[in-house]
Amino acid sequence: MRSPDEIRILRRIHAAAAERRLRDPQAPAITPEEREIEQRLREGHPWFDGPIPMIPVAQLYARDVPLPASPPGADLLQVLWCPCDHEEFAHPRTALFWRSSASVTDVLEAPPEPPVIQFDWYLPEPCLFAPERITEYPGPLELSKELQQQLGDVNLWETAGFAWDSTGALDPQEFYFRNLCHTPGWKTGGWTRWGLTDPMPRPCPECGTETTPLLTIASSEWNSGSKSWMPEEERTNPTPLLLGTPPSNFTLLDIAGAYDLQLHVCPVSPDHPHIELVQ
C-alpha cells in the first residue's frame, strides 16, 4: 500500500523513463537516482486501520453525456470509490452522488485523499474526455436465436457487400463482437458488456426491476481485438504514457486484471441502490 503522492512519484519516474527511451532507444530504462527512489517507495506501508476518504473517479454533466435514470433536477453525477477491495469484491466499491450543478457553490480546492491506497491502479490519473455519441449493438448472446444464425451466415454478409474478413476476424461472429457490439472504453448508457459470464438478470436489490447501464469504468479504451474503435488521431499519432503501459489506458486504472466495472441503476427510482458488474 502506498500514499497517493508516492504513487504519483512512481508514475513520474515511469513517464520520464518512457520519454527518455522514446528520444533515445539506447538510453537507460532507469537511472540510479530513479532506482533508489523506486526501491524505497516499493516497500509500501502497512494496512491503515481507520477512516479512508473516497477517491473521485468521474464527474459527468448532463449537458455533455446522457445520464440514464437521473433524479429530477439533477444535471451532475459524481462517482467516487474506496481504493480498497471489499470482502468478496475484487474491485473498489463505488458511491453515486447526483447533484444540481447550480446548487454547488462551496467547492473544495483540494479534496481529502486517503492516507494509503491498496493498489496503485486504484488511483485514477486525471483526464478530460471528449464525449462522442456512437451506435452500438447488444452482445451476440443477447440476440435472438434467429439473429444469431443470421449473424453467422456468410452469404448475408456478402450480399450486403461487407467484407467482414478484411479485419482479420476468423468469422462473422468475431467481426461483430470486435467491431459492432458493445463499444470498449468508458461510456454512459449503452449495452452491457458480457465476457466473463453469459448474460444474466440484473435486478434492482430494492424492488426487483431490471436495472439499466449507467456508467462503464474501463481499464482501457481499446485493445488489440477492438482497434476499430480507436480514435483516428490515436491511429496517426499514438503517444505512449508510461513504460509498459499501452496508450489506450489514459486513466491508468485496472479493474480485476484489465476488465471493466459496470454500474447499473434502477429505472424506477434513483434512490434505489445501484449494482456493480465486472466483465
Side-chain angles (χ1 to χ4, degrees):
M1 302 180 74
R2 275 180 285 275
S3 71
D5 285 340
E6 290 172 339
I7 294 173
R8 295 183 184 108
I9 291 173
L10 287 173
R11 289 178 177 177
R12 286 197 292 269
I13 290 176
H14 296 163
E19 180 66 23
R20 185 166 58 242
R21 296 293 295 275
L22 187 63
R23 294 195 306 265
D24 179 8
Q26 303 303 318
I30 188 171
T31 66
E33 295 80 7
E34 291 170 342
R35 181 177 290 107
E36 180 181 353
I37 296 173
E38 189 175 65
Q39 289 175 347
R40 174 169 52 84
L41 296 183
R42 290 295 180 191
E43 295 178 2
H45 300 280
W47 187 267
F48 180 81
D49 187 14
I52 294 182
M54 302 188 82
I55 291 180
V57 177
Q59 178 167 276
L60 305 171
Y61 289 88
R63 65 172 183 263
D64 299 322
V65 295
L67 297 176
S70 59
D75 63 347
L76 171 64
L77 171 63
Q78 294 174 320
V79 182
L80 287 76
W81 69 22
C82 174
C84 301
D85 291 342
H86 284 250
E87 299 175 355
E88 73 273 22
F89 299 97
H91 60 79
R93 299 302 308 274
T94 56
L96 306 181
F97 295 92
W98 298 95
R99 305 184 187 280
S100 168
S101 58
S103 66
V104 180
T105 56
D106 187 13
V107 180
L108 292 176
E109 294 184 4
E113 290 191 325
V116 292
I117 293 175
Q118 185 175 10
F119 300 113
D120 294 5
W121 49 88
Y122 285 173
L123 177 65
E125 186 71 12
C127 298
L128 290 176
F129 287 135
E132 180 180 1
R133 187 180 295 273
I134 57 94
T135 299
E136 63 172 10
Y137 298 93
L141 294 181
E142 291 198 273
L143 299 174
S144 66
K145 293 296 184 182
E146 180 182 358
L147 286 177
Q148 291 184 41
Q149 292 175 354
Q150 294 180 13
L151 188 61
D153 190 335
V154 176
N155 293 327
L156 288 178
W157 288 85
E158 293 177 347
T159 301
F162 204 97
W164 60 266
D165 56 348
S166 64
T167 65
L170 296 177
D171 50 48
Q173 290 95 332
E174 183 182 354
F175 173 82
Y176 176 84
F177 186 81
R178 286 185 177 185
N179 302 281
L180 297 178
C181 70
H182 39 64
T183 171
W186 288 61
K187 67 177 182 178
T188 60
W191 292 92
T192 302
R193 294 182 201 145
W194 300 101
L196 288 174
T197 67
D198 288 349
M200 63 180 68
R202 297 145 296 164
C204 169
E206 184 76 19
C207 67
T209 304
E210 183 72 2
T211 58
T212 58
L214 170 67
L215 175 67
T216 297
I217 301 170
S219 294
S220 64
E221 291 302 294
W222 63 84
N223 54 43
S224 59
S226 59
K227 285 187 176 180
S228 63
W229 294 102
M230 188 176 182
E232 187 63 33
E233 57 269 25
E234 294 297 331
R235 297 169 186 261
T236 57
N237 187 30
T239 303
L241 290 178
L242 300 179
L243 192 62
T245 301
S248 61
N249 187 6
F250 300 101
T251 61
L252 303 185
L253 296 180
D254 187 301
I255 305 296
Y259 288 98
D260 301 328
L261 177 59
Q262 303 176 71
L263 309 184
H264 294 73
V265 291
C266 178
V268 173
S269 173
D271 295 328
H272 291 177
H274 69 284
I275 62 175
E276 301 165 336
L277 174 69
V278 172
Q279 290 285 329

